[in-house]
């Protein structure tokens, strides 16, 4: 008996699961909102059919004989799939952007109609005679079948008219015709986009769908619609109140809850969190967008080290990208891991309507800024400009051409913390574009405004973004010299590096390093105390690498004496060669070589007298990067020559002289032979 009853028991259990699933689906499907793409009442009609079918599922589940004949079971499983597809379609419609749903209204209607026909066919072939159900339930199922069969494909006529009007609006913008406010207002009211929040949500949803490439056919129109919605949001609802977020060009966190982005996750050029880190031939990592822009400006050097690159190939740093993605997830920072999740700037640049919408938005915002009646209104407009300047080179061009920069610079002096932060960050975002660097440098009072923001900024974030703006401008050699001639600017950077929080120190030191790339700036940097500052920060985990690079740069261009005069400088550099990061060890070795060459025997004597220096050199030559090995080999040769020369100059002979020279040379010679140097 047990053997005979087992299959029946298993089949009954499986049938129960099927019927429960069908009953649950029949109750879930009607809960979704009516898709606007379908004629009014379509979902209500489907809900009625689901209610009729739920009576069948409920009676089968609670009947005395719950075993389903094979034919009925197979048919009900197909009905289950159809109901699941209904549910998935309705869920997808609810999640789609309003614009995408509008563009695909005919597709949605067609799919809905096909599902109705499939349901009718399955109800036709359902073997009702094999099922032990009441006559009332049979009548309900027959009614559901007839209702499904009567379903006709139709698109909501209002949606068709609205779709036509939206596409006409895109064509109008392509022809550089500014839409009439009344027409824009009417269309957006019919779309249900009645305030700045709904517009902002619509833009975010559209951008996500474009990045995911969910509708290739409509992608050009969707890209244009992002620009249209952004323009309409500003024109119809004004600049929106800034909401707390994690992006301020750089990241705009409050003073109380500032998020500390790991230094290795920031692009050395833009100082922003990298989304697509790539490695250049010097071994340095940059964000793809920033380094591509650097190469596009006719540079063939590494921005951080100044090395001439052997090639301009960019190698994706996938390991770092995965680490950044994980850090973003842990800290609730938006981050797109996959390439398709980003709208390619080339797609926007090739889209005439999107470009014209962006130009109209930039012009409108700048005109609005001119006539802002209050600090609150001004802050909202500037916040919109800041956000727009984040979104691509085209927007930065349009804002600058519309005259945004001369209007933003005076706002650096505002005592309102939000307005000051938004204006400084907007200029920082605009400065990413090479042409805008020239506009900023030629704007009257821009340098003084940056100095004021660094000195008197209401918050540390204002000071930090002002320092980052200086760094951005310093990527152009001529501006690096011009800014370096301003002693107050140099002093403010040094103060920020000394007293600021970690993120501010990083930006200030990065700007100092950039200024140290010009020989004529070194004297002012030394006068401001850069040598002492950099040496003191050599043992810092956060900024030790940048500090070592500054020491090397200052030593190379005339500040060697200032570095050597800082107590403990040699000891710290040797220690950094032993335990620092790869880049820090390179810079420390380079700095010691430069100090020895610039100052001479007295410095070499200090280096040679530092405990353990021979073995540090030996270790670096065997395990360091290519550049670190070269610098360590040079330092070893300098020390070896000094040891021999000192022995000869002292007139030592025999074993005393030999031991004096060999003690300094032996580890280096062994390492040189082993590494082929």
């Amino acid at each position: 008996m047990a053997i005979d009853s087992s299959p029946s028991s298993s089949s009954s259990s499986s049938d129960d699961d099927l019927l429960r699933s069908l009953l649950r689906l029949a109750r879930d499907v009607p809960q979704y909102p009516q898709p606007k793409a379908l004629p009014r009442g379509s979902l209500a009609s489907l809900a009625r059919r689901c209610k009729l079918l739920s009576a069948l599922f409920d009676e089968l589940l609670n009947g005395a004989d719950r075993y389903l004949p094979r034919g009925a079971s197979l048919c009900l499983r197909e009905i289950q799939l159809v109901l699941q597809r209904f549910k998935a379609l309705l869920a997808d419609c609810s999640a789609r952007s309003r614009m995408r749903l509008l563009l695909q209204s005919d597709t949605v209607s067609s799919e809905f109609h096909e599902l109705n026909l499939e349901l009718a066919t399955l109800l036709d072939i359902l073997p009702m005679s094999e099922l032990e159900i009441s006559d009332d339930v049979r009548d309900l199922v027959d009614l559901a079948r007839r209702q499904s069969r009567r379903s006709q494909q139709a698109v909501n006529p209002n949606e068709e008219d609205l779709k036509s009007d939206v596409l006409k609006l895109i064509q109008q913008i392509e022809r550089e015709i500014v839409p009439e406010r009344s027409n824009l207002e009417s269309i957006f009211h019919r779309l249900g986009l009645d305030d700045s929040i709904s517009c902002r949500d619509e833009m975010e949803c559209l951008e996500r769908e474009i990045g995911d490439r969910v509708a290739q056919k409509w992608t050009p129109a969707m890209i244009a619609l992002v620009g249209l919605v952004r323009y309409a949001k500003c024109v119809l609802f004004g600049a929106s109140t800034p909401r707390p977020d994690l992006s301020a060009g750089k990241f705009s966190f409050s003073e109380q809850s500032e998020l500390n982005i790991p230094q290795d996750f920031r692009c050395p050029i833009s100082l922003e969190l990298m989304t697509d880190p790539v490695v250049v031939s010097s071994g340095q990592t940059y964000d793809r967008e920033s380094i591509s822009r650097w190469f596009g400006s006719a540079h063939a050097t590494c921005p951080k080290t100044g090395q001439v690159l052997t090639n301009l190939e960019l190698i994706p740093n996938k390991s770092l990208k995965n680490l950044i993605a994980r850090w973003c997830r842990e800290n609730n920072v938006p981050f797109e891991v996959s390439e398709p999740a980003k709208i390619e700037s080339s797609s926007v640049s090739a889209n005439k309507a999107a470009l014209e919408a962006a130009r109209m938005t930039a012009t409108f915002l700048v005109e609005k800024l001119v006539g802002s009646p209050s600090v609150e209104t001004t802050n909202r407009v500037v916040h919109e400009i800041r956000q727009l300047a984040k979104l691509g080179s085209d927007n930065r061009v349009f804002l600058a051409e519309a005259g945004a920069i001369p209007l933003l610079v005076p706002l650096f002096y505002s005592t309102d913390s939000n307005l000051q932060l938004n204006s400084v960050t907007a200029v920082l975002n605009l400065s990413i574009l090479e042409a805008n660097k020239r506009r900023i440098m030629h704007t009257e009072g821009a340098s003084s405004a940056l100095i004021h923001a660094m000195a008197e900024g209401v918050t540390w974030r204002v000071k930090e973004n002002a320092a980052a703006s200086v760094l951005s401008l310093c990527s152009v050699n001529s501006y690096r010299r011009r800014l370096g001639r301003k002693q107050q600017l140099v002093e403010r950077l040094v103060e920020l590096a000394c007293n600021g929080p970690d993120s501010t120190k990083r930006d200030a030191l990065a700007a100092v390093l950039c200024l140290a790339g010009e020989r004529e700036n070194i004297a002012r940097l030394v006068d401001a105390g850069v040598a002492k500052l950099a040496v003191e920060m050599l043992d810092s985990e956060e900024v030790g690498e940048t500090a070592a690079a500054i020491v090397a740069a200052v030593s190379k261009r005339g500040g060697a004496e200032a570095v050597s005069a800082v107590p403990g400088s040699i000891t710290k550099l040797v220690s950094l060669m032993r335990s620092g990061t790869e880049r820090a060890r390179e810079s420390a070795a380079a700095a010691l070589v430069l100090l020895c060459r610039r100052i001479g025997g007295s410095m070499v004597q200090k280096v040679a007298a530092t405990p353990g220096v021979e073995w540090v050199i030996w270790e670096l030559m065997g395990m360091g990067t290519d550049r670190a090995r070269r610098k360590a080999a040079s330092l070893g040769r300098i020390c070896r020559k000094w040891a021999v020369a000192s022995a000869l100059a002292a007139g030592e002979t025999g074993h005393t002289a030999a031991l004096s020279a060999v003690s300094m040379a032996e580890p280096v010679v062994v390492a040189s032979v082993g590494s082929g140097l």
Side-chain angles (χ1 to χ4, degrees), residues 46-63:
L46 175 61
R48 286 193 297 271
R49 292 194 293 278
C50 287
K51 187 174 182 180
L52 295 173
L53 292 174
S54 64
L56 169 65
F57 306 145
D58 187 55
E59 182 159 323
L60 290 173
L61 183 61
N62 297 307

Side-chain angles (χ1 to χ4, degrees), residues 450-451 454-455 460 463-471 474 480 483-484 486-500 504-516 525 528-530 533 537 550:
L450 284 170
I451 293 171
M454 288 191 290
W460 280 113
K463 298 178 179 183
E464 177 180 331
N465 285 4
S469 299
V470 173
L471 173 60
C474 283
R480 189 185 304 167
L483 291 169
K486 299 182 179 296
Q487 187 66 34
Q488 281 188 319
L489 182 142
V490 174
E491 291 172 354
R492 297 295 84 77
L493 287 174
V494 173
E495 287 178 6
L496 293 180
C498 285
N499 305 318
T504 305
K505 286 181 179 180
R506 283 194 295 268
D507 291 342
L509 283 173
V512 168
L513 176 59
C514 203
L515 289 174
L525 289 170
V530 163
L533 168 72
M537 291 186 171
I550 291 173

Side-chain angles (χ1 to χ4, degrees), residues 31 75 83 118 132 161 215 227 267 270 330 386 390-391 444 447 452 510 517 536 559 569 587 595 662 670:
Q31 303 302 317
C75 191
L83 291 179
E118 285 188 40
E132 295 185 7
D161 293 341
C267 174
S270 67
E330 291 172 352
R386 187 192 85 186
K390 275 176 54 180
L391 300 176
E444 184 177 357
S447 299
H452 173 82
E536 289 176 349
S569 57
S587 297
L595 289 170
V662 169
V670 173

Side-chain angles (χ1 to χ4, degrees), residues 420-651:
Q420 190 183 47
L421 173 62
N422 285 326
S423 59
V424 171
T425 310
V427 169
L428 169 60
N429 291 341
L430 289 169
S431 73
I432 294 173
L433 187 69
E434 200 74 13
N436 285 349
K437 290 179 171 61
R438 178 177 56 80
R439 290 188 173 100
I440 294 170
M441 291 299 295
H442 285 79
T443 297
E444 184 177 357
S447 299
S448 299
L450 284 170
I451 293 171
H452 173 82
M454 288 191 290
E456 306 295 336
V458 180
T459 64
W460 280 113
R461 181 57 65 185
V462 171
K463 298 178 179 183
E464 177 180 331
N465 285 4
S469 299
V470 173
L471 173 60
S472 178
L473 296 171
C474 283
S475 64
V476 179
N477 290 342
S478 59
Y479 302 154
R480 189 185 304 167
R481 290 190 289 271
R482 283 177 58 183
L483 291 169
R485 294 182 188 124
K486 299 182 179 296
Q487 187 66 34
Q488 281 188 319
L489 182 142
V490 174
E491 291 172 354
R492 297 295 84 77
L493 287 174
V494 173
E495 287 178 6
L496 293 180
C498 285
N499 305 318
D502 288 342
S503 58
T504 305
K505 286 181 179 180
R506 283 194 295 268
D507 291 342
L509 283 173
V512 168
L513 176 59
C514 203
L515 289 174
E518 293 294 329
R519 179 174 292 275
E520 70 173 75
N521 294 338
I522 297 301
R524 282 178 286 273
L525 289 170
V526 169
D527 290 343
V530 163
K532 182 174 183 293
L533 168 72
V535 170
E536 289 176 349
M537 291 186 171
L538 286 174
D539 50 7
S540 167
E541 291 184 3
E542 292 290 333
V543 295
E545 188 174 301
T546 305
I550 291 173
V551 171
V554 170
S555 301
K556 181 178 181 179
R557 296 177 178 88
E561 293 287 351
V563 171
S564 67
V566 178
S569 57
I570 306 306
T571 302
K572 285 192 172 186
L573 286 170
V574 172
S575 176
L576 195 62
M577 284 178 61
R578 178 187 298 111
S579 58
T581 64
E582 286 188 348
R583 302 304 172 197
R585 297 172 79 189
E586 285 182 10
S587 297
L592 287 172
V593 170
L594 290 163
L595 289 170
C596 290
R597 287 176 176 169
R598 298 295 188 271
I599 298 175
S602 60
M603 176 54 60
V604 181
Q605 184 177 9
K606 289 182 180 179
V607 173
T610 304
V613 66
E614 305 96 332
W615 298 105
V616 170
I617 293 172
W618 184 27
E619 181 183 18
L620 194 56
M621 290 179 65
M623 301 176 60
T625 63
D626 289 343
R627 181 169 180 257
R629 291 183 182 190
R630 291 196 303 271
K631 297 301 179 182
S634 296
L635 185 60
R637 285 193 295 271
I638 290 171
C639 291
R640 187 168 64 252
K641 290 178 181 178
W642 171 83
V644 173
S646 297
L648 293 175

Side-chain angles (χ1 to χ4, degrees), residues 75-340:
C75 191
L76 287 173
R77 290 187 187 280
E78 291 299 319
I79 292 175
Q80 179 189 35
L81 292 176
V82 170
L83 291 179
Q84 287 173 340
R85 288 167 61 194
F86 265 123
K87 182 178 179 180
L89 175 61
L90 294 170
D92 184 48
C93 288
S94 300
R96 291 186 195 189
S97 65
R98 180 68 182 90
M99 293 295 191
R100 179 182 159 217
L101 185 60
L102 179 69
L103 295 173
Q104 296 182 316
S105 56
D106 52 348
T107 304
V108 172
S109 175
S110 176
E111 189 172 349
F112 194 83
H113 176 62
E114 289 174 4
L115 288 173
N116 271 318
L117 294 181
E118 285 188 40
L119 181 60
T121 301
L122 290 170
L123 292 176
D124 279 339
I125 64 176
L126 179 65
M128 301 291 291
S129 59
E130 298 179 8
L131 300 175
E132 295 185 7
I133 55 176
S134 65
D135 291 340
D136 289 341
V137 172
R138 293 178 192 277
D139 291 341
L140 293 176
V141 174
D142 185 59
L143 178 59
R145 178 188 58 75
R146 284 185 277 114
Q147 288 181 353
S148 296
R149 184 65 66 189
R150 287 199 301 268
S151 174
Q152 296 180 349
Q153 180 176 351
V155 179
N156 187 338
N158 295 331
E159 285 291 283
E160 285 295 287
D161 293 341
L162 181 55
K163 178 179 176 180
S164 175
D165 290 343
V166 168
L167 294 177
K168 286 178 182 177
L169 194 59
I170 293 176
Q171 293 171 356
Q172 182 180 349
I173 291 174
E174 281 182 341
R175 296 196 297 271
E176 303 180 23
I177 301 173
V178 178
E180 293 183 6
R181 182 187 175 95
S182 58
N183 185 35
L184 201 62
E185 192 169 11
S186 172
I187 290 175
F188 272 69
H189 177 71
R190 289 154 63 194
L191 285 166
L193 302 177
D194 297 320
D195 53 36
S196 61
I197 294 176
S198 61
C199 287
R200 184 176 62 203
D201 293 342
E202 178 70 10
M203 284 189 295
E204 290 175 355
C205 191
L206 270 171
E207 288 171 342
R208 184 168 58 251
E209 290 171 341
I210 294 167
D212 292 339
R213 300 176 183 175
V214 294
Q216 294 280 15
K217 174 184 175 182
W218 292 107
T219 294
M222 291 166 68
I223 291 174
L225 286 169
V226 172
L228 172 61
V229 175
R230 182 175 290 112
Y231 173 71
K233 179 174 82 75
C234 294
V235 172
L236 299 179
F237 312 116
S240 57
T241 302
R243 66 176 178 179
D245 64 3
L246 296 179
S247 56
K250 291 158 59 77
F251 287 85
S252 61
F253 309 108
S254 65
E255 293 295 318
Q256 291 77 17
S257 59
E258 182 173 311
L259 187 58
N260 188 17
I261 306 172
Q263 183 180 4
D264 291 341
F265 293 175
R266 290 173 177 259
C267 174
I269 298 175
S270 67
L271 300 180
E272 296 182 23
L273 185 72
M274 289 187 282
T275 57
D276 187 12
V278 293
V279 181
V280 298
S281 59
S282 66
Q284 296 288 341
T285 298
Y286 301 94
D287 198 40
R288 184 183 295 275
E289 182 183 357
S290 298
I291 192 63
S292 296
R293 193 181 307 113
W294 173 264
F295 290 158
S297 302
H299 294 102
T301 57
C302 174
K304 189 170 183 179
T305 65
Q307 291 176 257
V308 177
L309 300 175
T310 56
N311 61 70
L312 302 185
E313 182 181 359
L314 301 178
I315 302 173
N317 193 333
K318 294 182 180 179
S319 298
L320 180 59
K321 187 172 184 177
N322 291 336
L323 289 173
I324 294 173
R326 184 172 66 184
W327 180 86
C328 287
R329 287 194 300 271
E330 291 172 352
N331 292 278
N332 297 318
V333 176
F335 180 77
E336 302 293 351
V337 177
S338 58
E339 287 303 316

